[in-house]
Amino acid sequence: MNPLGILAVSLRNGRRDAGFSYAVLSERTRSISPGTLQRAASGAVLPRLEVAQAFARACGMDVAEVTRLWHAAYQGSLGGRAAGRARKPEPRPDLVNDLSGLCAALEELRQANGAPSFRMMERRARDAGKDLSRSTAFRISRGTAPASTDGLEAFLVACQVPPRERTVWFDAWLRAQRQVVRARQDADGREDLKQIEAVVSDTSRGQVSQEAAVRMLRKAGFDAMERYRRFDAPWTVECLQCAATLRIRLSDVVLARASCPDCPMLTEHVREAWAELLTNPSGLLSRQLVRALRAVTVLPARLQRDHLGVPVFVADRATLRILQSSAWHAALEEVLRRHIRRPFYLDVLLVHDYDTMAAPRNGQRLRRLAKAAGLVDSPLESSPRVQGQGRVNSSASNEAVSGREAATASGSARTAATAPVSWKPTSNSGA
């Protein structure tokens, strides 16, 4: 016997044991007609869950057992959505990341609640003071996501979700909406790039040719190492200043966002700007700050897209406490913009004693630079890795973990003149 037949037999046996006619059962349920009750026990169609439960209560049956039989009948019923075909399991609300997944999870929730009719869902929401029309409930169950959290809450109320279990659904709705915004921004960005390419293109199709792309690349200070593919595709190039190999996009070249991260010319410009900063051209720096700035050493700078990282090695804690203030960052940015003729965001990175420093994300770049420059004489040791990044930071700890590697040591600092390296760090003490 199929599950629907088992449910029907159980209802008929319950009515027989109770000794009630369908008319008496209708009076006991107060809202269900005798014909509806008779059809529920006939086994011809699957009754609504509310009807089966009311039938069981009126006959004094075990409502929980009837509910279990109803769910089994629903899963095996030819009238259910799951009949005759395997269904893909729907995502849990805490795993939902897009609107389609949210709608699938909401429909699964409705099915688990006994697949109440949309009229019933409208009545439940209205009784709880929520606004949910039958048409809105139908659209949500068919794949149209709720337009607001109010609509989502009304649907959850109609599915009899308790308040303490609704938060996970609200979080899923927010994630889905953020995904929509990101997708829209990505689409807008691609459209903007198409328009920019059409402006700089040299072909009738609105695309940049290989020859034009190479010309623009060389004008920006790079040489191509492979054939040009697409305006927004990564391109392997070589820096004409330092012969470094890197990957950039032609769109970044056109928008003046492409740069060699470790180019010596960049470090030279930063040194010139730092020397100008020590003269205090704006007159806004205190004597104490100027003395502290002269006592530190500037390590090679790094320019990645539009972020300029300027690592500064601080040898003693007294100087570190003075430079923790961000009062001098604006003056440094002002002189840097006179020497570096392109837009950037400044990251000031204070590099100091390694046993007080949290290790960076990847590698030992600044540690190696400080060691090679003779600024530290103890072994470079590893510390726990942390992540973080900022624009212009005011605290040394935040600056140290802003996405750059930290150079440190426990021993005494030595002068940069003894370092057997090709570059020479700027010593601000005049040495």
Side-chain angles (χ1 to χ4, degrees), residues 179-312:
Q179 192 274 338
V180 171
V181 172
R182 287 194 298 269
R184 188 180 300 120
Q185 290 174 345
D186 292 343
D188 293 342
R190 288 192 294 269
E191 185 62 30
D192 292 342
L193 288 181
K194 287 182 181 179
Q195 295 178 4
I196 294 173
E197 184 179 15
V199 171
V200 301
S201 66
D202 58 338
T203 64
S204 58
R205 296 180 299 172
Q207 297 177 347
V208 178
S209 65
Q210 167 79 16
E211 293 76 14
V214 171
R215 284 198 303 270
M216 287 187 279
L217 195 64
R218 288 177 177 168
K219 186 176 181 181
F222 302 100
D223 195 11
M225 302 287 290
E226 62 181 359
R227 286 192 59 83
Y228 168 73
R229 292 183 297 157
R230 199 171 64 250
F231 190 65
D232 59 342
W235 196 6
T236 302
V237 300
E238 181 183 69
C239 177
L240 296 177
Q241 296 290 339
C242 63
T245 302
L246 62 153
R247 299 269 285 174
I248 62 175
R249 291 176 171 85
L250 185 61
S251 59
D252 290 337
V253 172
V254 173
L255 295 173
R257 296 189 307 190
S259 61
C260 180
D262 303 293
C263 191
M265 294 300 297
L266 171 66
T267 300
E268 187 63 31
H269 291 321
V270 172
R271 290 172 182 166
E272 293 171 358
W274 192 272
E276 182 180 345
L277 174 68
L278 297 181
T279 65
N280 196 10
S282 62
L284 300 178
L285 302 179
S286 65
R287 292 183 179 180
Q288 184 185 34
L289 263 177
V290 173
R291 284 196 299 269
L293 293 173
R294 289 181 180 276
V296 302
T297 301
V298 180
L299 298 175
R302 184 180 180 88
L303 183 62
Q304 189 106 26
R305 292 178 72 95
D306 54 353
H307 289 265
L308 173 62
V310 179
V312 179

Side-chain angles (χ1 to χ4, degrees), residues 31-32 48-51 53 110 113-128 132-134 137 154-155 157-160:
S31 60
I32 303 175
R48 297 199 308 271
L49 178 60
E50 296 84 0
V51 173
Q53 290 174 339
R110 189 179 80 90
N113 187 245
S117 65
F118 300 120
R119 188 186 301 274
M120 174 65 71
M121 296 180 69
E122 181 182 33
R123 183 163 61 248
R124 289 178 180 176
R126 184 173 60 248
D127 293 343
L132 180 70
S133 65
R134 283 169 285 174
F155 192 93
V157 168
C159 292
Q160 298 179 322

Side-chain angles (χ1 to χ4, degrees), residues 18-185:
F20 297 141
S21 65
Y22 288 112
V24 174
L25 283 180
S26 178
E27 293 177 1
R28 292 175 66 88
T29 60
R30 298 184 179 180
S31 60
I32 303 175
S33 67
T36 300
L37 295 171
Q38 186 176 12
R39 285 194 298 272
S42 67
V45 294
L46 180 69
R48 297 199 308 271
L49 178 60
E50 296 84 0
V51 173
Q53 290 174 339
F55 194 114
R57 279 192 293 269
C59 295
M61 301 171 61
D62 186 352
V63 178
E65 177 63 17
V66 171
T67 302
R68 186 190 65 80
L69 293 176
W70 185 94
H71 281 291
Y74 180 81
Q75 294 300 324
S77 172
L78 293 177
R81 283 183 53 197
R85 67 179 188 272
R87 290 179 54 205
K88 179 182 177 181
E90 309 300 350
R92 301 200 319 258
D94 57 322
L95 301 179
V96 166
N97 289 309
D98 53 26
L99 293 180
S100 61
L102 176 63
C103 293
L106 287 173
E107 174 60 14
E108 187 73 9
L109 174 67
R110 189 179 80 90
Q111 300 298 331
N113 187 245
S117 65
F118 300 120
R119 188 186 301 274
M120 174 65 71
M121 296 180 69
E122 181 182 33
R123 183 163 61 248
R124 289 178 180 176
R126 184 173 60 248
D127 293 343
K130 304 297 181 182
D131 184 19
L132 180 70
S133 65
R134 283 169 285 174
S135 59
T136 300
F138 174 80
R139 287 195 297 270
I140 292 175
S141 69
R142 294 300 183 269
T144 301
S148 65
T149 53
D150 291 338
L152 174 63
E153 186 175 17
F155 192 93
L156 297 176
V157 168
C159 292
Q160 298 179 322
V161 177
R164 65 178 178 276
E165 297 179 9
R166 296 174 192 170
T167 302
V168 66
W169 291 97
F170 294 143
D171 293 342
W173 184 87
L174 288 174
R175 286 196 301 273
Q177 293 296 331
R178 292 192 192 104
Q179 192 274 338
V180 171
V181 172
R182 287 194 298 269
R184 188 180 300 120
Q185 290 174 345

